[in-house]
Amino acid sequence: MKKRIFSGAQPTGRLHLGNYLGALKNWVALQDEYDSIFCIVNLHALTLPQNPKTLRQKTLDLARIYLAASIDPEKATIFIQADVPEHAELTWILLCTARMGELERMTQFKDKSQKGGRERSSVGLFTYPALMAADILLYHTDLVPVGQDQKQHLELTRDLAERFNRDFGETFVIPEPYIPKSGANIRSLQDPAKKMSKSDENEAGAIFLDDDADTISKKIKRAVTDSGTEINFDETRPAIHNLLTIYQLVTGKTEQECVENFAGKGYGQFKGELAEAVVEYLRPFQERISAYDDAELNRILRTGAEKARSIASVTLADAYQKTGIR
Ligand code: AQP
């Protein structure tokens, strides 16, 4: 039997190159080897204010992005989180398993609540990691391919699963993270101290998957650099390290080939070649994005939800039975 992977992205904002290189690219690479389940986590989106009409549209658009990124619905299960109510139901059980102190240590809550202030943040934003744990545990997931920013949430998922299994008997598989060596932590083009992010107010920091060639070029030309002139993978020079990492991932070259390619060249030439490589990399994806109509997407999502539900309902029934709820 194949091992199982589960992952998801939120239908919020515009997906960026960080989401692609840190997550989607790996999902595609793993879908042949693993029984793959990819979710559009729209319940997570509600942790921050959303416009209902936009959210509905973005949810369908994200399905389109999954397919354009080459996730194959014949191989992988693709579905919308809210179409499988077991996610919300298992969340309650896991919230009763989690401890306040554990959730308070989550750095993403600290980051995301900074803007509006902790007091004004939704309780959903605070408890979001339990929903993520439910997403993963419902499917007896072996491996979770995510970017570096989700590592802490995954550790919590493991802790919750272990605690539940200890208290109520073997129920959940303990999932392992799959965090790629390169690309798991793509930084903002404007401030390499921050990750490339959908919610960054400075749009120049992110290359969005639907940016046209001209916009991509301009953003890369305006990207901050470090002092010095060398173009190499020196971690003490985070801006160049980040740009070179992007170059490596979109060209498929080795580190050594990348460094050799830019030996003796200046930042201007480097940025020009990088922009060209990114544009070329995204071109097939961007051409495919309009290939799926809404009827086709809805059919794929309906089939995916039915399949997901057939697994999730069994896991939830087991958890309910073990806890004495049913
Ligand atoms: N900068 C990044 N580099 C590598 N991987 C990243 N991911 C996110 N940012 C980077 C990975 O993309 C997947 C889907 O992310 P998400 O939709 O759950 O959103 P997020 O992790 O909250 O980060 P975003 O996309 O930047 O959104 P905001 O601005 O809302 O925080 C995940 O596997 C994530 O690790």
Side-chain angles (χ1 to χ4, degrees), residues 7-10 12 16 18-19 22-23 108 112 128 145-150 183-186 195-200:
S7 201
Q10 301 188 56
T12 50
H16 50 75
N19 298 129
Q108 198 168 87
K112 289 196 173 178
Y128 152 117
V146 281
Q148 185 71 30
D149 63 326
Q150 295 299 333
N185 198 5
I186 300 294
K195 73 166 193 144
M196 190 177 281
S197 173
K198 293 191 206 101
S199 53
D200 192 338

Side-chain angles (χ1 to χ4, degrees), residues 223-286:
V224 299
T225 50
D226 306 288
S227 55
T229 53
E230 291 259 317
I231 297 164
N232 57 20
F233 288 95
D234 176 354
E235 291 197 6
T236 63
R237 298 167 68 237
I240 293 297
H241 187 281
N242 187 45
L243 294 176
L244 201 54
T245 299
I246 294 175
Y247 181 82
Q248 187 196 359
L249 289 165
V250 300
T251 58
K253 290 186 170 147
T254 63
E255 282 198 6
Q256 198 186 340
E257 284 167 342
C258 294
V259 173
E260 279 169 13
N261 189 55
F262 294 112
K265 295 182 184 170
Y267 284 167
Q269 195 169 347
F270 168 44
K271 285 181 167 181
E273 284 191 42
L274 173 61
E276 245 173 65
V278 171
V279 169
E280 279 316 306
Y281 182 74
L282 288 179
R283 192 190 304 282
F285 163 82
Q286 291 182 340

Side-chain angles (χ1 to χ4, degrees), residues 149-179:
D149 63 326
Q150 295 299 333
K151 186 168 182 264
Q152 195 187 28
H153 291 161
L154 203 66
E155 279 160 7
L156 177 72
T157 301
R158 288 168 57 86
D159 290 345
L160 296 182
E162 277 165 6
R163 185 173 308 146
F164 188 98
N165 287 352
R166 191 195 59 217
D167 293 349
F168 298 105
E170 210 54 39
T171 308
F172 300 121
V173 169
I174 312 297
E176 294 288 336
Y178 177 95
I179 298 176

